Amino acid sequence: MTTHTVLWATLLGIQSPWVVTKAQFNRDLKRVDIWIGVQHVQIKTGWFGRKKRLDTPTTISAASYEKWRHLNLAGWQSYVHSPWPTPSDLVQKPWVGEGGQHFSHALSRLIFTMMGEGASLATICAALEVSLTDLWKYKLALDKGMVGSSAPVTRSKPAFVAPQPQAAAAKAEYDSLVPALDDTVWLNLASGRLEMEIKTLSLRLLLTRVKSQYQMAADDEVRALRIRELHRFFEKNQRALSHELGQLLYKD
């Protein structure tokens, strides 16, 4: 391994038997492409029975690689090329991603977190230097339950994970009448257990979409994301949702 491949392996957190076999730079685009390979250790016996360790990265056909956009490294866009199909001991690594998806697990997780904070797609694109097309594909996969908050995911029975309210949200200009984010009314509303009369068209459309995406969600954190979206809508529009809000406040 050369000095620069060791550097990129360190930045990515790659450990034996996996190694960086190649790194390709594009200074104009400020982009680095990094190839991952497996390193096999061989012991060669020489004169007088002396043994020598030989570390030889395995050559893998270029057609057997999958590429994922990863987190920026030192201000450069990074792309990781990993063996495909992904070996079982690589599936959980943050610098690889799910089959058919564009982003690595680490980048997907960061995007998911920003979405949960209410960041717009344009904001995410600008902050992370990702294309709107790739981001839209990820959001579509998330909405359809094809990926979870940090793929891969293990599907389980729906369970409510109370999202943590942000400190900034507590600093409102006026006292909010909207139930707290961890109130089970949001779980019941998003899951369809709570029926209510809705007069506001925008809320009716949002609730229809949230219910559908909640049912298709790949994991509990994605379901929590839908609940935060619903809660945020009520917070922003509570003056226009007096009829619906009244039903939530007197749900019992």
Side-chain angles (χ1 to χ4, degrees):
M1 294 177 66
T2 63
T3 301
H4 72 273
T5 56
V6 172
L7 171 62
W8 291 115
T10 302
L11 291 175
L12 287 171
I14 295 173
Q15 298 178 341
S16 179
W18 300 99
V19 294
V20 172
T21 59
K22 183 174 68 171
Q24 181 175 305
F25 306 90
N26 187 318
R27 295 185 182 277
D28 294 332
L29 297 178
K30 292 193 68 176
R31 164 175 169 163
V32 57
D33 285 75
I34 301 168
W35 280 262
I36 308 300
V38 63
Q39 178 175 263
H40 290 293
V41 177
Q42 296 180 342
I43 305 298
K44 182 178 180 181
T45 303
W47 292 98
F48 307 108
R50 292 182 178 179
K51 295 184 178 181
K52 182 179 180 181
R53 175 190 172 106
L54 299 176
D55 297 335
T56 56
T58 297
T59 301
I60 303 175
S61 168
S64 302
Y65 275 90
E66 180 86 351
K67 179 180 70 175
W68 288 281
R69 170 68 193 280
H70 189 48
L71 300 171
N72 285 4
L73 297 175
W76 286 49
Q77 294 184 18
S78 66
Y79 290 80
V80 174
H81 301 251
S82 173
W84 180 261
T86 305
S88 59
D89 55 341
L90 283 188
V91 168
Q92 300 288 351
K93 299 299 182 183
W95 32 268
V96 300
E98 207 171 343
Q101 298 302 314
H102 183 70
F103 302 131
S104 68
H105 295 328
L107 185 54
S108 295
R109 180 67 186 182
L110 180 55
I111 292 172
F112 180 85
T113 300
M114 293 182 71
M115 285 181 172
E117 297 296 330
S120 67
L121 296 186
T123 298
I124 295 174
C125 287
L128 304 181
E129 298 181 348
V130 298
S131 74
L132 181 58
T133 299
D134 293 333
L135 183 58
W136 184 256
K137 289 179 180 178
Y138 169 76
K139 184 180 183 301
L140 186 62
L142 192 68
D143 292 344
K144 290 186 175 182
M146 298 168 60
V147 297
S149 59
S150 181
V153 298
T154 300
R155 293 183 179 272
S156 57
K157 294 181 179 180
F160 177 60
V161 177
Q164 296 299 317
Q166 299 301 308
K171 298 179 180 180
E173 295 180 358
Y174 51 88
D175 292 334
S176 173
L177 296 177
V178 178
L181 185 57
D182 58 358
D183 194 309
T184 55
V185 67
W186 302 111
L187 165 65
N188 294 332
L189 192 58
S191 64
R193 300 173 193 171
L194 174 64
E195 296 293 338
M196 58 187 296
E197 183 184 39
I198 299 176
K199 293 184 177 180
T200 308
L201 177 60
S202 57
L203 176 59
R204 185 181 297 116
L205 296 175
L206 173 65
L207 190 56
T208 299
R209 176 173 60 81
V210 166
K211 286 180 179 179
S212 175
Q213 293 174 354
Y214 185 93
Q215 295 298 327
M216 293 189 295
D219 58 31
D220 289 339
E221 288 196 64
V222 177
R223 284 184 276 272
L225 177 67
R226 301 307 167 205
I227 290 174
R228 283 196 295 271
E229 183 179 4
L230 197 57
H231 179 269
R232 188 181 298 112
F233 183 86
F234 270 84
E235 282 283 7
K236 290 183 177 181
N237 303 281
Q238 59 179 301
R239 288 194 175 96
L241 299 174
S242 57
H243 177 74
E244 293 83 359
L245 186 56
Q247 297 175 71
L248 295 184
L249 294 175
Y250 298 99
K251 59 186 182 302
D252 296 330

